[in-house]
Amino acid sequence: MDEIKAILIDDEQSARNVLSNLLERASTNINVLDSCNNLESGVQKIKEQQPDVVFLDVQMPNYAGYEIARFFDVISFEIIFVTAYDHYAIKAFELNAIDYLVKPIDRNKLDIALKKLEHKLHQQASLVDYHSLLKTIKDKNYKKIVIPELGNRHILNLTDIVAIEADGAYSKIHVVNKATIIASKNLKFFENTLSEEPSFFRSHRAWIVNLTYIEFLNKTTLNLTLDNGTITAKISRSRISSFENSI
């Protein structure tokens, strides 16, 4: 595809220089339009130059990077966040399926992020609601998750997910009202992402269930009935004790 236009926003000159040099050596054709040392000036440059992607530092003076949602009614560009080891920020990015890089930036991980960026731009994937991300990080209360599905993204309330079923390299997200979404992430991804959500339980190598929807456990057939009988999940015999302690 044609060159990808980028803007870098980071309050540290050295960090901007390092990232700029890495992007110059990357196999992806990136044209860095501008480099800014704070969010306010970065927002102005974004509005003037209309980049395809913004590489955005998370922690900066005055405004944190994720507060970019305050300045736009619609985010019409992709964002790759650059962050130090911030537990809450990283957790929120994972839940919202947003690309991020951890400082110091690893060249291989940058290349992976750029390949994903190329794919997103090529597919014209719908963009995440960054206002939701902002609230997620500030509240430290993860109530929504973005499910990637074949170039699109579904924003779901965690409380609407009844169960998640393994489907090879993909996962089936069973939600209320009998709907099913095929997510382009495997079950291990969702297990890690939801590890701190007490309502979600890994009942079987192929299933994660939402405990709030459990209706019945059959210890003979090793089946779990959920959501008024609309879904039947499996439970491993070795997980029954942990399951009963979690209810």
Side-chain angles (χ1 to χ4, degrees):
M1 65 179 298
D2 295 334
E3 69 177 15
I4 297 173
K5 297 178 293 184
I7 286 179
L8 316 184
I9 306 176
D10 194 309
D11 62 310
E12 297 180 4
Q13 178 69 54
S14 59
R16 298 198 304 275
N17 291 343
V18 168
L19 180 54
S20 181
N21 289 335
L22 287 172
L23 291 173
E24 284 182 8
R25 298 200 299 270
S27 58
T28 303
N29 187 11
I30 299 284
N31 176 17
V32 177
L33 302 176
D34 224 317
S35 178
C36 306
N37 63 4
N38 60 71
L39 187 59
E40 300 98 309
S41 62
V43 166
Q44 185 61 40
K45 293 297 183 181
I46 291 169
K47 292 179 178 179
E48 291 174 359
Q49 303 190 51
Q50 300 293 308
D52 299 306
V53 61
V54 174
F55 290 85
L56 183 58
D57 185 24
V58 172
Q59 296 181 342
M60 294 183 290
N62 298 328
Y63 291 98
Y66 52 76
E67 293 184 275
I68 194 170
R70 296 179 182 272
F71 299 91
F72 295 91
D73 293 326
V74 177
I75 301 290
S76 59
F77 48 89
E78 292 287 346
I79 296 177
I80 296 178
F81 284 97
V82 183
T83 179
Y85 290 95
D86 185 303
H87 169 76
Y88 291 109
I90 291 175
K91 183 68 174 179
F93 299 154
E94 290 173 345
L95 282 174
N96 286 276
I98 292 171
D99 288 330
Y100 67 93
L101 297 166
V102 176
K103 295 179 180 179
I105 297 172
D106 179 89
R107 185 172 179 179
N108 290 331
K109 291 182 178 179
L110 174 61
D111 286 340
I112 292 171
L114 293 177
K115 292 300 181 186
K116 289 169 64 180
L117 172 64
E118 283 186 291
H119 179 73
K120 288 179 186 177
L121 294 175
H122 180 72
Q123 296 293 329
Q124 296 183 333
S126 58
L127 293 167
V128 167
D129 180 354
Y130 286 95
H131 290 280
S132 174
L133 170 66
L134 171 61
K135 189 175 188 307
T136 298
I137 294 176
K138 291 182 75 65
D139 292 351
K140 299 181 180 179
N141 189 16
Y142 310 110
K143 295 302 181 185
K144 292 182 182 292
I145 187 170
V146 176
I147 307 297
E149 181 192 34
L150 301 177
N152 295 312
R153 292 173 181 160
H154 296 268
I155 301 176
L156 298 179
N157 292 316
L158 293 180
T159 53
D160 288 341
I161 298 175
V162 178
I164 306 173
E165 179 184 3
D167 186 15
Y170 296 84
S171 298
K172 295 178 181 177
I173 313 298
H174 300 281
V175 299
V176 291
N177 301 322
K178 301 182 181 179
T180 301
I181 297 170
I182 306 299
S184 53
K185 296 286 186 181
N186 62 24
L187 197 66
K188 186 64 175 178
F189 168 83
F190 288 104
E191 181 182 21
N192 293 336
T193 300
L194 298 170
S195 62
E196 296 178 18
E197 292 294 329
S199 59
F200 288 92
F201 179 81
R202 181 74 180 262
S203 64
H204 184 268
R205 60 182 176 81
W207 286 90
I208 296 171
V209 297
N210 188 336
L211 297 173
T212 60
Y213 289 98
I214 298 294
E215 298 286 340
F216 185 73
L217 163 63
N218 189 320
K219 294 184 180 180
T220 302
T221 62
L222 299 178
N223 285 336
L224 290 169
T225 303
L226 299 93
D227 195 26
N228 295 319
T230 61
I231 297 172
T232 301
K234 301 298 293 183
I235 184 167
S236 300
R237 194 173 300 279
S238 62
R239 300 292 290 156
I240 290 178
S241 177
S242 296
F243 171 77
E244 291 178 328
N245 291 332
S246 298
I247 294 295

